[in-house]
Amino acid sequence: MSTLTRDVDYSPASLSRPLESIAQPPRLSHTLHQQRNSVLSLAADASHIFSGSQGGDISVWDKHTFRLKATLKGHTGSILALEYAAGRDWLFSASGDSTVRVWSTHNLSPLYLLNPHLETDSGDLFSLVWSPSLQTLYFGCQDTSLQWYTFSFGSTAVPSSSTSAASIGSNSSDGATRCDSPAPASRKVHKFFDSYPQYTRRPADLEARNPSSSYPQSLPSTPGSSTFHLPSSGSGSEPDSCVRHEPIQHPLAILQVPPTNVIYSAHYGYVYCIALVPCAREGSDDPPAVRAGDSVQLVTGSGDATLWQLPSSGSQYARPSLLHTFDCTCGAVLALVARGETVYAGCQDGQVKVWDLETRTLVRTLIVVENVDILSLSLLHSDLYTCSANGEVQRWSASFDVTASWPAHEGIVLSSIVTRLPIASHPLPNGESNGHRGLRIDPHAHGASDNFVLVTGANDDHIKVWEIEPPILQKHSMSPISVCFDNAERNGDANEFKDGDTDTLVYALSKFISIPSVSNSPAHREDCRQAAIWLRKCLAQLGAESTLLPTGEGTNPLVLATFRGTQTKRQKPRILFYGHYDVISASPRGWTFDPFTLTGRNGYLYGRGATDNKGPVMAVACAAADLLRRRALELDLVFLVEGEEEAGSGGFGEAVRRHKDAIGPIDAILVSNSTWIAEDIPCITYGLRGVVHCNVEINSNGHDLHSGVDGGVTVEPMLDMLKLLGTLIDGQSRVTIPGFYESVRPLTDDERQQYTVLSGITQTPASSLASRWREPSLTIHNVEVSGPRNSTVIPSRVKAHVSVRIVPDQDLATIANALREHLRESFDKTQSPNELHARPSRSHLALICSYACTQVSIDHTADWWLGDLDDPWFLALESAVRDEWGTEPLRIREGGSIPSVPYLEKEFSCHALHLPLGQNTDQAHLPDERISLSNLRRGKLVVERFLLNVAGSAATCSAT
């Protein structure tokens, strides 16, 4: 048992590379101060940056000078969302006052006031998006509704001061209500929100809810000149003397969303965010949908994310149709962005879900900062910028690696956008001047597209402008892994794995190996739990829906994860992959390297669990993730990874039965938990022996005695034990338990020929292979005694551990009972005054009934397993191995036992398959355990081929 203690980093599981090797964070170009007002929303056009405040004002900042140019007033609630419509030079603003306002970005004047259906009953308006092809504005509401309004008048020009509200609406065909002069109040009085205390006996009016509001009760029928208001500083400082201060200008018209343009209960919660597919915002490299008829989809976020197909025209009668709902499973969706067929959803607990719209599957989960809300997302081509409530901003590459991370604000980052700056808008460092008012002109600039910036806003009242660049697309853009090559480097072979430096599989395995999840050691109980948590997060990041399942008091949890394939009308195959994350102890004695640091040398990766079973688990997981990324996973792959396999699988069977509905129906089981019989020829395992573990104890019910005093007088328990154990085997090493060999399946001619072939490959006698794989056996593992184990002591208690390996067609219960009865009867014949005692089992794999009795205890059992060589699943796996390695795989059996395999076969009524990845020199359970890097990578490819073969066969059967 290992007493090795280690300082293990149990930070959140992440498959992104360490930040030490990444690029420097973006340079801060400029800081804007929006005094005493959190920056809730941001937008930008070619000349301005617009920031929405909680005070209801919209600040307009000049991109050339970074000076405050204007403040747009009119809203009486917080500005929760801003959206720029480039084709019309319009700015949309949504507010907590239940209105949307439309502003001209050309002359910074108000154009329209848009009331949602039911007006204030819609609550806060959290999100906006503009569809250029449909000329339609979509917005999400607090009352869980999705609403839209189509601007269908003919001209995109800003209406002149002489244009009446009635004439503006004359070309509209969308049926929305518009107002002739004189215009009514900006909104209707709400009986509840605009009410006074009952004792005042005053009727409700607009002033009740907004006593300090300066917004007028009615709008003039003919607007005045195009002017805007520039307020003084919120801190009470003097206003800029260079600007004019004019009265607030009122909208030209009040518009109303008709009841036909509403989807009630679009979500079960507030509609926090909306994204358009394809994305039409600045920074996107999506081909734009600019004409009517272009396919456009909408994604809305709440407690889940919903995909809608938008109509081919802006007609109000063509309602958005629901296509799919993505389950977030980790709190509300607070931010959405889209690129191509991929949607990124920032969630409440610090995760970003990556969904594929074509296959409607979860591709990856990015763990940004655990339990810290992701409130804003922005994209610059394939680079994703995540903004967190802890003030940090991170940049993620297309390969889901963190390429930059920095503390952007001293508060909660609430909003962000990507925009372009004019070429001459970069301030010179250290106040240098070039005759252009402190601005740097780059003579080598290639155009405006080279001047991207990320603009972030927070509740620290600051807006920050960060210089960013579009990503340079490379064939392989991942950063180096952190696999330790300490000893290899000293010996000059550290470059052995330079091709693996960019291997997510090896990197993830290095993190997995570093957790000493020794299941048979109480000292490592917490390590096992942390390994389960890490694996759950890792599989989630790779694209699975993952959770932990309890197995009982004192046993480690199961990790259940499902990689969901492409959504299709036909029923998809469902394959269960079984593995284990626990390992046996690894004392440093005998190891060349630290057993819990993955170390590479001469083509092998060394570390406890490398081949049994952490390496194969990660290979299969990365295979599923790669197929997801390529949109090629057309079946469901369910991971069931336990943490007690090396300690008898305690609680496994009961937990599987209890959570069988969560696991779902299964068509086949895949296992990878053994090795080849040679170094260079791939194999497929099709058989395992079963096992019965038994503890036998003989006790004198007295104290230990001295052999010099009591030797020859007492009947010694040790002598009784030796006699009893001697009755189990005869002189020809045959097991003497009655009926032991009666049900053993005879050796067939085909098997005899197969063993002959394998004998020539392995240089092992065929009889030896048959004895190991298909013949039963009995082993006495150890004998333990009470007392100090001194040569003068007669122990009062002696315990032996015996195991029996069983084969087809021996019955597990029959053999276990026969073993127990044989021991009892043989001991009774000795007429010894000592007693046989039963010791309680540490754990039972709940495959069959408990075998407790008063004399012998059956510690745990496992049934034998034999695969079907003619099964289509087996043939699909064999074909995958053949195609990857270019040779016919060997069909082999194993002498060991995996208790869970035959149990899962029976529980789910399907066949199991066993794909070994390791070689026969991998040293499983021994010092310097290892796995071939080539086997690991090619094993991953074999799994990919197998999953594709199965999906293709299922599709063919469905078609026929």
Side-chain angles (χ1 to χ4, degrees):
M1 182 178 296
S2 173
T3 58
L4 182 67
T5 59
R6 296 173 41 80
D7 293 328
V8 180
D9 179 15
Y10 292 135
S11 57
S14 178
L15 298 184
S16 63
R17 303 303 186 266
L19 297 180
E20 289 80 0
S21 61
I22 65 175
Q24 292 295 319
R27 189 179 78 88
L28 179 61
S29 173
H30 211 89
T31 299
L32 311 175
H33 187 198
Q34 184 171 279
Q35 295 203 20
R36 296 185 180 178
N37 268 309
S38 297
V39 183
L40 303 182
S41 51
L42 289 165
D45 67 0
S47 303
H48 308 102
I49 296 172
F50 305 96
S51 60
S53 72
Q54 68 184 98
D57 297 339
I58 303 172
S59 299
V60 184
W61 306 87
D62 191 300
K63 277 188 175 181
H64 294 271
T65 64
F66 293 112
R67 299 287 299 274
L68 181 64
K69 182 176 180 180
T71 300
L72 307 181
K73 287 183 172 289
H75 282 292
T76 58
S78 300
I79 310 300
L80 301 177
L82 292 171
E83 176 80 356
Y84 173 59
R88 288 185 177 263
D89 289 336
W90 285 358
L91 176 71
F92 297 98
S93 56
S95 172
D97 64 9
S98 301
T99 65
V100 175
R101 289 179 177 264
V102 188
W103 313 81
S104 167
T105 60
H106 176 68
N107 56 22
L108 303 179
S109 62
L111 297 177
Y112 312 112
L113 173 67
L114 175 61
N115 286 315
H117 180 59
L118 299 180
E119 300 187 354
T120 53
D121 285 347
S122 297
D124 296 349
L125 309 185
F126 288 110
S127 50
L128 290 170
V129 72
W130 169 253
S131 171
S133 61
L134 302 178
Q135 293 293 291
T136 300
L137 179 72
Y138 295 87
F139 56 94
C141 306
Q142 187 178 11
D143 70 348
T144 74
S145 69
L146 173 64
Q147 303 191 26
W148 62 96
Y149 188 88
T150 300
F151 293 82
S152 56
F153 17 88
S155 174
T156 61
V158 177
S160 67
S161 59
S162 62
T163 307
S164 69
S167 65
I168 291 174
S170 62
N171 292 330
S172 176
S173 61
D174 60 8
T177 302
R178 294 187 175 85
C179 301
D180 298 317
S181 57
S186 61
R187 63 176 176 82
K188 295 179 182 178
V189 174
H190 194 281
K191 291 182 180 180
F192 176 77
F193 292 111
D194 296 322
S195 63
Y196 288 92
Q198 189 173 9
Y199 68 85
T200 63
R201 298 181 180 278
R202 293 181 58 182
D205 61 48
L206 293 179
E207 294 299 324
R209 190 166 65 143
N210 304 293
S212 61
S213 174
S214 59
Y215 191 79
Q217 298 304 299
S218 63
L219 298 174
S221 58
T222 305
S225 61
S226 297
T227 58
F228 51 87
H229 185 265
L230 285 168
S232 62
S233 167
S235 62
S237 58
E238 291 299 319
D240 194 329
S241 59
C242 298
V243 299
R244 295 176 296 128
H245 303 281
E246 309 253 3
I248 300 174
Q249 183 185 358
H250 307 303
L252 297 177
I254 298 176
L255 313 177
Q256 182 74 44
V257 174
T260 54
N261 286 24
V262 181
I263 296 177
Y264 301 99
S265 300
H267 289 272
Y268 290 115
Y270 304 165
V271 185
Y272 290 115
C273 46
I274 302 181
L276 198 69
V277 183
C279 180
R281 289 176 178 167
E282 203 167 7
S284 172
D285 56 354
D286 284 350
V290 295
R291 296 170 298 181
D294 289 345
S295 177
V296 181
Q297 294 175 330
L298 196 68
V299 185
T300 55
S302 179
D304 52 17
T306 301
L307 177 65
W308 309 85
Q309 180 64 54
L310 297 184
S312 58
S313 67
S315 170
Q316 70 179 44
Y317 302 108
R319 294 170 59 85
S321 56
L322 177 64
L323 294 179
H324 188 71
T325 297
F326 298 97
D327 190 6
C328 182
T329 71
C330 56
V333 176
L334 304 177
L336 285 167
V337 291
R339 178 177 185 254
E341 294 292 331
T342 304
V343 167
Y344 302 86
C347 300
Q348 201 168 12
D349 66 348
Q351 297 184 12
V352 175
K353 298 288 185 180
V354 185
W355 286 303
D356 176 63
L357 296 183
E358 183 177 357
T359 61
R360 299 172 191 173
T361 54
L362 179 68
V363 175
R364 188 70 69 97
T365 298
L366 311 179
I367 300 179
V368 180
V369 184
E370 279 198 286
N371 301 317
V372 178
D373 296 351
I374 307 297
L375 297 172
S376 182
L377 299 174
S378 290
L379 278 172
L380 176 56
H381 299 178
S382 61
D383 275 353
L384 173 69
Y385 292 86
T386 62
C387 302
S388 305
N390 63 355
E392 289 188 0
V393 175
Q394 293 185 6
R395 182 179 65 215
W396 296 74
S397 70
S399 57
F400 308 119
D401 293 316
V402 178
T403 57
S405 179
W406 70 97
H409 289 269
E410 295 180 356
I412 301 172
V413 186
L414 299 167
S415 53
S416 66
I417 56 167
V418 169
T419 186
R420 294 177 177 90
L421 289 184
I423 297 176
S425 291
H426 294 283
L428 286 169
N430 304 320
E432 297 176 13
S433 176
N434 57 5
H436 291 274
R437 298 183 61 184
L439 302 179
R440 179 180 65 209
I441 296 179
D442 183 5
H444 303 291
H446 298 290
S449 62
D450 297 328
N451 295 278
F452 280 107
V453 292
L454 173 71
V455 184
T456 57
N459 69 344
D460 59 3
D461 306 343
H462 284 89
I463 303 165
K464 296 193 176 181
V465 182
W466 309 89
E467 295 180 358
I468 59 176
E469 296 180 355
I472 300 174
L473 298 180
Q474 298 176 352
K475 184 177 181 180
H476 207 95
S477 58
M478 297 183 184
S479 308
I481 62 174
S482 62
V483 178
C484 176
F485 290 100
D486 291 343
N487 292 297
E489 192 170 2
R490 286 194 292 271
N491 289 289
D493 52 5
N495 292 326
E496 196 68 39
F497 298 110
K498 62 182 180 181
D499 292 336
D501 286 349
T502 55
D503 195 331
T504 298
L505 168 58
V506 179
Y507 178 77
L509 182 58
S510 73
K511 306 282 278 188
F512 202 10
I513 293 275
S514 70
I515 307 176
S517 49
V518 182
S519 57
N520 59 7
S521 169
H524 289 289
R525 178 66 60 191
E526 178 60 18
D527 293 322
C528 291
R529 190 178 74 87
Q530 291 294 337
I533 293 172
W534 183 91
L535 181 59
R536 174 183 63 80
K537 295 176 182 177
C538 176
L539 295 176
Q541 284 185 279
L542 290 173
E545 299 171 5
S546 60
T547 188
L548 297 183
L549 302 178
T551 58
E553 188 70 26
T555 52
N556 298 316
L558 297 174
V559 180
L560 174 65
T562 303
F563 290 88
R564 299 199 181 277
T566 304
Q567 299 291 328
T568 61
K569 294 182 179 179
R570 61 177 175 82
Q571 185 175 354
K572 295 176 294 183
R574 302 189 86 248
I575 296 177
L576 185 145
F577 172 76
Y578 165 81
H580 64 92
Y581 60 82
D582 63 317
V583 297
I584 68 164
S585 60
S587 171
R589 183 178 179 181
W591 282 80
T592 307
F593 314 103
D594 180 352
F596 296 108
T597 299
L598 190 67
T599 307
R601 172 178 285 183
N602 297 332
Y604 289 90
L605 300 176
Y606 289 82
R608 174 59 84 218
T611 194
D612 184 20
N613 182 235
K614 293 181 176 181
V617 168
M618 293 314 306
V620 177
C622 288
D626 270 7
L627 291 178
L628 265 182
R629 178 180 54 83
R630 289 153 40 196
R631 281 64 169 173
L633 185 64
E634 297 183 359
L635 49 75
D636 290 347
L637 182 61
V638 181
F639 271 66
L640 191 63
V641 188
E642 69 161 312
E644 292 283 342
E645 196 272 348
E646 302 290 5
S649 295
F652 178 82
E654 183 181 348
V656 169
R657 283 195 297 270
R658 188 167 59 248
H659 299 285
K660 194 171 181 180
D661 289 342
I663 298 170
I666 298 298
D667 298 306
I669 299 161
L670 178 63
V671 182
S672 181
N673 194 18
S674 62
T675 60
W676 298 351
I677 61 169
E679 287 289 293
D680 303 318
I681 304 177
C683 303
I684 297 181
T685 302
Y686 70 93
L688 297 168
R689 293 196 294 186
V691 68
V692 176
H693 284 279
C694 173
N695 279 322
V696 184
E697 183 177 310
I698 300 178
N699 197 326
S700 68
N701 289 326
H703 300 291
D704 294 339
L705 301 175
H706 193 290
S707 62
V709 176
D710 297 296
V713 176
T714 184
V715 178
E716 300 181 15
M718 176 64 81
L719 295 178
D720 283 349
M721 180 64 77
L722 294 177
K723 293 175 187 177
L724 182 61
L725 296 179
T727 66
L728 295 173
I729 300 290
D730 64 14
Q732 286 74 40
S733 297
R734 298 271 295 179
V735 178
T736 58
I737 298 173
F740 186 74
Y741 294 99
E742 287 181 0
S743 300
V744 176
R745 189 177 298 182
L747 182 68
T748 66
D749 292 338
D750 288 343
E751 284 183 291
R752 187 176 288 104
Q753 176 62 30
Q754 183 180 9
Y755 287 131
T756 301
V757 173
L758 294 176
S759 174
I761 295 173
T762 62
Q763 301 302 310
T764 302
S767 59
S768 177
L769 293 175
S771 296
R772 293 178 185 178
W773 295 351
R774 66 166 335 274
E775 294 179 8
S777 65
L778 184 146
T779 302
I780 300 171
H781 297 279
N782 55 62
V783 177
E784 300 177 4
V785 298
S786 61
R789 301 183 182 181
N790 187 280
S791 59
T792 64
V793 174
I794 300 174
S796 61
R797 187 179 72 253
V798 180
K799 185 178 75 171
H801 185 194
V802 179
S803 75
V804 175
R805 299 286 173 172
I806 63 173
V807 297
D809 291 304
Q810 291 177 303
D811 180 70
L812 178 64
T814 300
I815 295 298
N817 285 326
L819 171 63
R820 186 173 59 237
E821 290 302 313
H822 175 80
L823 289 170
R824 182 184 59 79
E825 293 175 0
S826 298
F827 183 75
D828 288 345
K829 291 178 181 179
T830 66
Q831 298 183 345
S832 171
N834 297 317
E835 295 182 0
L836 273 174
H837 285 279
R839 295 183 58 84
S841 302
R842 176 190 176 275
S843 63
H844 273 277
L845 180 63
L847 306 181
I848 55 179
C849 61
S850 175
Y851 294 108
C853 70
T854 59
Q855 297 168 320
V856 180
S857 67
I858 303 299
D859 206 28
H860 66 262
T861 61
D863 212 345
W864 53 265
W865 168 74
L866 193 64
D868 183 355
L869 300 183
D870 296 321
D871 183 60
W873 297 91
F874 181 88
L875 297 178
L877 180 61
E878 192 171 49
S879 174
V881 175
R882 182 190 309 112
D883 292 343
E884 175 59 35
W885 288 95
T887 186
E888 197 69 30
L890 300 177
R891 297 176 173 183
I892 65 172
R893 290 166 69 167
E894 281 282 339
S897 307
I898 303 178
S900 302
V901 173
Y903 166 69
L904 291 172
E905 258 197 347
K906 295 173 182 177
E907 188 67 32
F908 291 98
S909 302
C910 62
H911 290 161
L913 309 163
H914 198 159
L915 174 68
L917 296 188
Q919 298 167 318
N920 63 345
T921 57
D922 278 357
Q923 300 282 98
H925 289 203
L926 301 175
D928 281 351
E929 179 181 347
R930 69 183 189 177
I931 192 168
S932 163
L933 182 59
S934 174
N935 277 40
L936 193 67
R937 287 175 171 166
R938 298 189 74 171
K940 167 181 167 291
L941 296 177
V942 168
V943 173
E944 290 184 26
R945 290 178 183 271
F946 168 66
L947 298 179
L948 292 172
N949 288 347
V950 170
S953 298
T956 302
C957 292
S958 177
T960 57

